């Protein structure tokens, strides 16, 4: 049996919460609740496997277009999630971080986020990162604007390479993404981490996010192990 290669950084598009709920005659919010519970399980599994970072797409810049009741629930989810699981995440030495423009969320959600980030900042295990109010094109636009400002102010030059431009991205302190998993059958990137996914292995699973168990995660890591990663070389 080939030895598993553990990806340093896994990104997940957690799709299918709504369909999972609908199939069971439940409101869509019940799917998001179950989806959040699954983040806890998969984060702990990743931490146990030695994965360094797990970035979960929890709220896209497009999600504001959903019905108000669903948006309200998604805005409340971080508080509900961390009320239930922060102690356990801390016990597992997990560090929590966020990507995206958090300013658009209600003050109370922002407060929870600040507290959680600060209470886990010294943990040395998995970096569990939530992308919220995040969009890949917007991230690149914001990076380009900041870079342009820095050039105009004389704080940077036109002579930079991709790695240096990468320092303007929200993921600047994170390892490269080795593996991106999207659940629930859709075969799209949907504006997630466009810059960062350039060389990542992509796996699309038919399983809805609330049902995506540790076994499916291990299957994805096995598939990742088998792929020959050549970065365009031979
Ligand atoms: C996509 O499923 C999922 C979301 C838009 C939300 C995912 C958020 C969580 C699982 C919880 C986040 C938790 C924290 C702590 C921030 P969908 O609703 O698009 O599913 P569908 O395609 O079946 O309708």
């Amino acid at each position: 049996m080939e030895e598993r290669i553990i990806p340093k950084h896994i990104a997940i598009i957690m799709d299918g919460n709504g369909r999972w709920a609908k199939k069971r005659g439940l409101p869509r919010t019940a799917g998001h609740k179950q989806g959040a519970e699954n983040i806890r399980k998969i984060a702990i599994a990743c931490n146990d496997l030695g994965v360094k970072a797990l970035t979960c797409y929890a709220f896209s810049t497009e999600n504001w277009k959903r019905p108000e009741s669903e948006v309200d629930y998604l805005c409340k989810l971080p508080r509900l999630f961390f009320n239930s699981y922060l102690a356990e995440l801390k016990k597992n030495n997990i560090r929590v971080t966020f990507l995206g423009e958090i300013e658009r969320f209600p003050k109370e959600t922002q407060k929870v986020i600040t507290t959680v980030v600060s209470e886990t900042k010294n943990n040395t295990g998995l970096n569990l990162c939530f992308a919220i109010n995040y969009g890949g094109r917007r991230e690149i636009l914001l990076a380009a604007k900041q870079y342009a400002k820095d050039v105009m102010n004389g704080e940077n030059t036109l002579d930079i390479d991709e790695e240096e431009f990468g320092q303007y991205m929200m993921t600047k302190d994170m390892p490269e993404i080795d593996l991106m998993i999207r659940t629930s059958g859709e075969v799209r990137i949907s504006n997630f981490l466009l810059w960062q996914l350039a060389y990542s292995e992509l796996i699309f699973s038919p399983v809805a996010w609330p049902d995506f168990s540790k076994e499916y995660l291990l299957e994805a890591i096995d598939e990742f192990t088998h792929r020959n990663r050549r970065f365009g070389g031979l």
Side-chain angles (χ1 to χ4, degrees):
M1 169 74 189
E2 198 179 357
E3 205 174 319
R4 257 185 203 126
I5 300 174
I6 301 298
K8 273 207 184 73
H9 186 173
I10 301 178
I12 304 191
I13 301 179
M14 311 177 292
D15 200 7
N17 294 343
R19 278 165 283 171
W20 181 93
K22 195 173 171 210
K23 231 168 98 181
R24 287 160 180 77
L26 298 168
R28 292 178 55 82
T29 49
H32 296 315
K33 183 165 185 271
Q34 196 62 34
E37 156 73 26
N38 203 40
I39 296 177
R40 163 194 160 255
K41 281 197 221 148
I42 294 296
I44 289 173
C46 282
N47 190 45
D48 292 345
L49 287 165
V51 175
K52 299 281 176 241
L54 173 67
T55 300
C56 298
Y57 206 1
F59 196 98
S60 75
T61 45
E62 288 72 39
N63 284 154
W64 297 108
K65 294 186 216 140
R66 294 193 174 195
E68 200 183 323
S69 58
E70 187 171 341
V71 170
D72 283 352
Y73 185 78
L74 287 170
C75 287
K76 266 194 279 176
L77 250 183
R79 183 166 52 83
L80 300 175
F81 179 84
F82 292 113
N83 275 348
S84 305
Y85 305 133
L86 181 60
E88 194 184 7
L89 295 174
K90 279 164 98 174
K91 208 176 87 205
N92 280 274
N93 196 23
I94 292 175
R95 181 162 64 99
V96 180
T97 58
F98 288 82
L99 296 179
E101 294 169 278
I102 309 167
E103 313 80 69
R104 199 166 160 193
F105 284 95
K107 283 276 169 297
E108 203 182 328
T109 310
Q110 292 188 42
K111 222 173 104 191
V112 171
I113 290 172
T114 314
T115 308
V116 167
V117 170
S118 123
E119 282 191 25
T120 61
K121 72 174 192 299
N122 294 325
N123 291 353
T124 54
L126 177 80
N127 173 9
L128 171 59
C129 176
F130 291 93
I132 59 172
N133 192 23
Y134 172 85
R137 286 186 175 178
R138 175 129 183 101
E139 181 191 22
I140 295 171
L141 176 65
L142 292 175
K145 283 186 183 179
Q146 188 55 50
Y147 172 51
K149 271 191 202 157
D150 286 355
V151 172
M152 284 192 293
N153 296 336
E155 281 162 32
N156 210 335
T157 67
L158 285 179
D159 189 29
I160 64 166
D161 61 17
E162 290 169 14
E163 203 182 318
E164 287 162 318
F165 186 74
Q167 289 302 305
Y168 286 92
M169 307 305 284
M170 295 171 180
T171 48
K172 64 179 160 55
D173 300 319
M174 303 181 85
E176 291 281 340
I177 297 170
D178 303 303
L179 171 62
M180 195 287 300
I181 302 170
R182 181 175 188 149
T183 61
S184 206
E186 244 69 69
V187 186
R188 292 193 284 276
I189 301 295
S190 299
N191 205 16
F192 189 41
L193 298 168
L194 296 179
W195 171 271
Q196 296 83 349
L197 293 177
Y199 288 105
S200 314
E201 292 295 339
L202 309 179
I203 290 185
F204 298 90
S205 165
V207 178
W209 171 247
D211 289 332
F212 192 85
S213 59
K214 183 176 180 180
E215 286 64 42
Y216 289 114
L217 173 73
L218 290 174
E219 266 179 32
I221 294 178
D222 286 343
E223 164 84 33
F224 168 80
T225 301
H226 288 127
R227 290 195 192 171
N228 186 5
R229 305 174 75 224
R230 292 182 297 194
F231 297 99
L234 288 181

